[in-house]
Amino acid sequence: MMKTMGLYVHIPFCKKKCYYCDFPSYGNMEGRYEEYVCALEREIENRGRFCEDWQISSVFFGGGTPTVLSIELLQRLMTKLKESFYIAENAEITIESNPGTIEKEKADALYKMGFNRLSMGVQAWQNRLLTTLGRIHTIEAFQNNYQLVREAGFDNINVDIMFALPTQTLADWKETLERITKLHPEHISAYSLIIEEGTPFYEAFQKGELLETEEELDREMYHYAVSFLAEKGYRQYEISNFSKTGRESRHNQIYWQTEPYLGLGLGAHSYFNGSRFHNTYELDQYILAYGEIYLLEEEKEAVTKKAAMEEFMFLGLRMTEGVSFDSFFQRFGIEMTEVYGKVISHFVKSGLLAQTDKGIALTRRGIDLSNQVFTEFLFDK
Ligand code: SF4
């Protein structure tokens, strides 16, 4: 039987950088798109040679904003992937996009070239908040792009939204949730804003020009979203992810279930053949390496059994169904309770974990204090 894994393809370009973003992406770099794609095509080809006995169950074009690339460049990448890897017929093939980067021709072309899932970052329904975040689009542009991709044939759409934004009120957040659910996307990701070092938001925060949202309001917004989305038929299957039945993201689940995946492109991370590594984060170096794997890979490390157990627990516990005793035993040949019995009973007693005869999962309170729980599953704290 063939082994299965996911592919992640990183496109590190955006029209313009948002003020809060610390993802590996560059704004205003149109001049470099083509040379990047050439290098990426070579990497796809070279990596594909080592993956002949792997079937691909999910492909995810992430960024950045992959849809800033022209139809021709995206088509070239898709063709190269199909030539170089064995992509399962029913594979989930996702592309991330941002409003303002899709017109009718591109929406139709994306669907025709084989993407069957589209993820769109809208973040908030209020134009004043979109301006504060440094987003390139308005809510009207989002509505237009959403309609275009539906008309193109996409029947599996994710919408990213954010809470705990500067000056965002609970009423704003409720309006965002209401308006988004009225569009009936199949999947919604709802993340709270983290002010990351090295971003314009961080500088403004340091100068006192930007205030962090109070923890209490952050939690109120989160809890409201969880119950509101449940009412609207979205099952929460992970701390920040909600979907209609059967529309959970395969790509996301590969990460949380610590299954293998290969990252292609600038700075892309991989978990493959028992090792974790990532490609160089330097754009010039990536392009110059021209797909030569030994020039791209950095910090390659075999994942020890201990590290694999830790990851299995803290990534697995992100999912609402938690981690099962059986799957732990199948993966590691030892009972979960033998390794983590003390930690588990401590958190069950304090109400942060719920235990059944099948496994363990975070409780509602455990989700709010998830980082505290995850830390305790590390061997060297
Ligand atoms: S669109 Fe996304 S990746 Fe691009 S700058 Fe904004 S937050 Fe970052």
Side-chain angles (χ1 to χ4, degrees), residues 153-168:
F154 281 94
D155 64 358
N156 199 2
I157 300 181
N158 168 59
V159 174
D160 284 338
I161 50 177
M162 291 174 93
F163 60 97
L165 303 174
T167 78
Q168 185 187 35

Side-chain angles (χ1 to χ4, degrees), residues 53-68:
D53 48 350
W54 289 87
Q55 188 184 48
I56 308 303
S57 59
S58 157
V59 180
F60 192 98
F61 276 52
T65 309
T67 46
V68 294

Side-chain angles (χ1 to χ4, degrees), residues 345-361:
S345 55
H346 165 73
F347 283 126
V348 169
K349 264 187 216 138
S350 55
L352 302 189
L353 282 179
Q355 183 173 350
T356 63
D357 52 354
K358 293 213 164 54
I360 54 166

Side-chain angles (χ1 to χ4, degrees), residues 60-332:
F60 192 98
F61 276 52
T65 309
T67 46
V68 294
L69 296 185
S70 65
I71 295 172
E72 189 221 327
L73 291 179
L74 287 165
Q75 180 66 67
R76 270 171 53 182
L77 291 172
M78 187 61 109
T79 305
K80 189 56 77 184
L81 282 168
K82 287 182 179 165
E83 284 169 4
S84 311
F85 289 91
Y86 174 44
I87 300 176
E89 240 170 69
N90 63 352
E92 175 185 277
I93 307 183
T94 308
I95 185 159
E96 273 188 331
S97 69
N98 281 299
T101 59
I102 295 184
E103 70 292 343
K104 181 171 166 33
E105 199 194 348
K106 195 175 273 182
D108 292 343
L110 291 172
Y111 189 70
K112 281 201 194 101
M113 71 178 81
F115 289 103
N116 54 27
R117 185 170 182 272
L118 188 133
S119 175
M120 204 177 269
V122 58
Q123 317 312 354
W125 197 269
Q126 301 72 25
N127 282 332
R128 82 163 208 288
L129 291 178
L130 295 175
T131 308
T132 309
L133 292 171
R135 304 284 302 175
I136 55 162
H137 60 88
T138 58
I139 198 61
E140 292 74 24
F142 162 72
Q143 288 170 287
N144 166 283
N145 276 200
Y146 187 89
Q147 200 181 331
L148 286 180
V149 295
R150 273 287 191 233
E151 283 167 6
F154 281 94
D155 64 358
N156 199 2
I157 300 181
N158 168 59
V159 174
D160 284 338
I161 50 177
M162 291 174 93
F163 60 97
L165 303 174
T167 78
Q168 185 187 35
T169 62
L170 186 58
D172 291 332
W173 177 234
K174 287 182 177 178
E175 184 188 22
T176 297
L177 288 163
E178 261 158 44
R179 302 298 292 260
I180 293 296
T181 48
K182 281 210 174 111
L183 294 172
H184 306 290
E186 285 67 31
H187 190 286
I188 296 175
S189 296
Y191 286 94
S192 92
L193 175 78
I194 312 273
I195 300 177
E196 303 282 1
E197 253 182 82
T199 62
F201 261 23
Y202 188 76
E203 267 173 50
F205 172 67
Q206 293 290 80
K207 288 189 203 146
E209 294 163 4
L210 189 144
L211 295 179
E212 225 176 355
T213 303
E214 302 265 331
E215 178 68 12
E216 206 178 309
L217 178 58
D218 175 298
R219 289 298 85 194
E220 197 180 348
M221 287 177 163
Y222 178 73
H223 293 146
Y224 180 83
V226 170
S227 18
F228 180 82
L229 291 174
E231 260 173 47
K232 298 289 172 192
Y234 290 88
R235 186 178 83 89
Q236 181 183 23
Y237 69 103
E238 192 263 354
I239 296 180
S240 309
N241 286 275
F242 306 81
S243 80
K244 294 273 174 76
T245 312
R247 300 307 188 111
E248 298 83 4
S249 155
R250 174 89 199 104
H251 166 76
N252 289 354
Q253 286 174 312
I254 288 175
Y255 285 136
W256 301 319
Q257 291 170 352
T258 57
E259 290 172 19
Y261 57 88
L262 203 49
L264 306 156
L266 182 74
H269 285 237
S270 299
Y271 179 38
F272 186 60
N273 276 343
S275 293
R276 288 201 181 272
F277 54 92
H278 66 82
N279 283 345
T280 173
Y281 293 122
E282 299 297 327
L283 183 61
D284 288 331
Q285 198 183 324
Y286 181 83
I287 289 172
L288 279 174
Y290 204 57
E292 286 302 337
I293 292 173
Y294 73 98
L295 294 173
L296 293 175
E297 285 181 3
E298 290 179 5
E299 297 183 277
K300 190 164 188 165
E301 213 179 316
V303 178
T304 62
K305 190 170 175 180
K306 268 185 164 183
M309 284 180 185
E310 294 173 341
E311 288 176 357
F312 183 91
M313 296 307 289
F314 67 73
L315 290 171
L317 282 171
R318 296 193 61 86
M319 295 178 291
T320 50
E321 66 182 28
V323 285
S324 82
F325 296 132
D326 276 357
S327 54
F328 188 94
F329 185 80
Q330 273 164 26
R331 181 88 62 111
F332 303 110

Side-chain angles (χ1 to χ4, degrees), residues 14 16-18 20-21 23 25 64-65 98 135:
C14 289
K16 164 184 162 280
K17 199 82 182 154
C18 302
Y20 59 96
C21 179
F23 299 135
S25 70
T65 309
N98 281 299
R135 304 284 302 175

